[in-house]
Amino acid sequence: MRVFLIGIIVGLAPMAIAGPVTPKDIALTEIATSPQLSPNGEHIAWTRVVPQNPIDGKDGAAQTELHVVDLAGKDRLFVKDGSPRAASWTADSKALTFLTKRNGDDGTALYRIAVDGGEAERLFGYKRSISAYSMSPDGTRVAFLSAEEGDNGAGGMAKKGFDQTIYEEDRGLTKAYVATIGKDDVKELPLTGSASAIVWAPKGEHVAVTAAPTALVDDKYMESKVFVFDARANALVGKIENPGKLDGVSFNPKGDTLAIVSGAD
C-alpha cells in the first residue's frame, strides 16, 4: 500500500528557520487543500492557497493554484490564473475538470486540462456562474448548480434607486441543472428550494441534490434534505428525510445506494 502525504500548511517551514512566527507570517501562510486521488491511483490533484501580501501586495482575496503530484513525489503547477477550484478527475484519469472564470466568460465556467499537460479548454459555461458541479459517468453531461440573481428585497426596483440592503432578502435561490457538453441543452431539475451540493452517481442516471426550503443560512444548516433525481427523465425519484443537520452525501460504486452523514436528536 502506498501512502501519500501533502503538508496541510506549506508555508511554515521557512518561518521555522527564520525565527519566531509573526502576524505577517501568519497572514502569508500558504495552505494545501482539496486533495483528489486519480481513479488509477497514479496522481493526486491538490489546491494551493496563496494569500495576498497584506503590506506590500494588492488588495483582494487569496489566489489558488491547481497542482498535480505523481507517485515519485514530483509536483507540477497545472493552472495558476483565475483561481481554479473544485477540481475533479475524469473517470479515465486522463484529465482534470475545474471551475474558474476567464476572459470572455459571463461567470464561473467549467474547464478541463489533460494530465499530460497543455492548455485548459472550456467545457461548459452558463449565463450565470456555476457554483458546484458533478460529471456524468461517461463525461458527456454535467449536473451543476447556479444561483439566481437576488432583488435586494426591493422587488426588482434596485435600478430605480431602491438600492437598500435588507439582510438575507437579497439572496436568489440556487437551482440545479443538467447540461449536455457541447450542445445547447440545459434542463432545470424540478427542485423546490435552494440547492447547496450536487453529486452524480458513479453509474447510471441518479443525481443527488442537497437543498433547503430557502436560501437563508439558517435553513441551509437546519433544514437541508437530499433529493434524488433521474437525470435522463428529469424527474424526482426520491427524498431522504434526514433527522438533523446534514453533512456528507455519497453514492456507492454501483450508484444504487446513497450514504449520508446526518445529525439526530
Side-chain angles (χ1 to χ4, degrees), residues 11-12 15-16 18-30 51 54:
L12 282 181
M15 288 186 263
V21 177
T22 68
K24 183 178 179 180
D25 292 331
I26 297 298
L28 293 176
T29 298
E30 299 177 0

Side-chain angles (χ1 to χ4, degrees), residues 61-244:
Q63 301 297 299
T64 60
E65 302 173 351
L66 179 58
H67 290 246
V68 174
V69 60
D70 60 19
L71 293 176
K74 181 181 178 181
D75 181 67
R76 290 182 290 166
L77 172 60
F78 262 54
V79 182
K80 182 178 181 180
D81 296 333
S83 284
R85 62 179 182 85
S88 180
W89 289 97
T90 56
D92 59 9
S93 299
K94 293 182 178 180
L96 281 161
T97 55
F98 60 94
L99 296 177
T100 189
K101 182 179 180 181
R102 295 191 170 184
N103 291 335
D105 291 332
D106 294 329
T108 302
L110 179 64
Y111 283 76
R112 177 174 59 192
I113 187 170
V115 71
D116 293 334
E119 179 57 36
E121 61 174 334
R122 188 176 187 267
L123 277 184
F124 174 77
Y126 190 53
K127 59 185 177 182
R128 298 186 300 271
S129 286
I130 298 171
S131 58
Y133 74 97
S134 183
M135 301 296 296
S136 65
D138 62 2
T140 62
R141 289 170 292 161
V142 58
F144 68 96
L145 304 182
S146 182
E148 297 179 324
E149 293 183 4
D151 66 1
N152 83 328
M157 301 287 286
K159 293 182 179 179
K160 294 186 177 181
F162 294 88
D163 56 357
Q164 70 276 9
T165 298
I166 302 177
Y167 180 66
E168 287 200 337
E169 289 193 17
D170 61 346
R171 295 174 179 266
L173 296 178
T174 297
K175 299 295 188 177
Y177 306 86
V178 172
T180 302
I181 301 297
K183 297 182 179 180
D184 186 17
D185 177 26
V186 180
K187 295 179 180 179
E188 180 181 337
L189 294 175
L191 173 71
T192 300
S194 187
S196 58
I198 192 165
V199 58
W200 202 310
K203 293 182 180 180
E205 294 293 326
H206 286 155
V207 174
V209 180
T210 301
T214 73
L216 299 179
V217 173
D218 285 349
D219 278 354
K220 175 183 176 181
Y221 284 114
M222 303 302 297
E223 302 295 337
S224 287
K225 307 296 181 184
V226 181
F227 300 83
V228 182
F229 297 90
D230 183 316
R232 186 72 67 183
N234 198 41
L236 178 67
V237 297
K239 178 182 178 181
I240 299 177
E241 295 285 354
N242 46 288

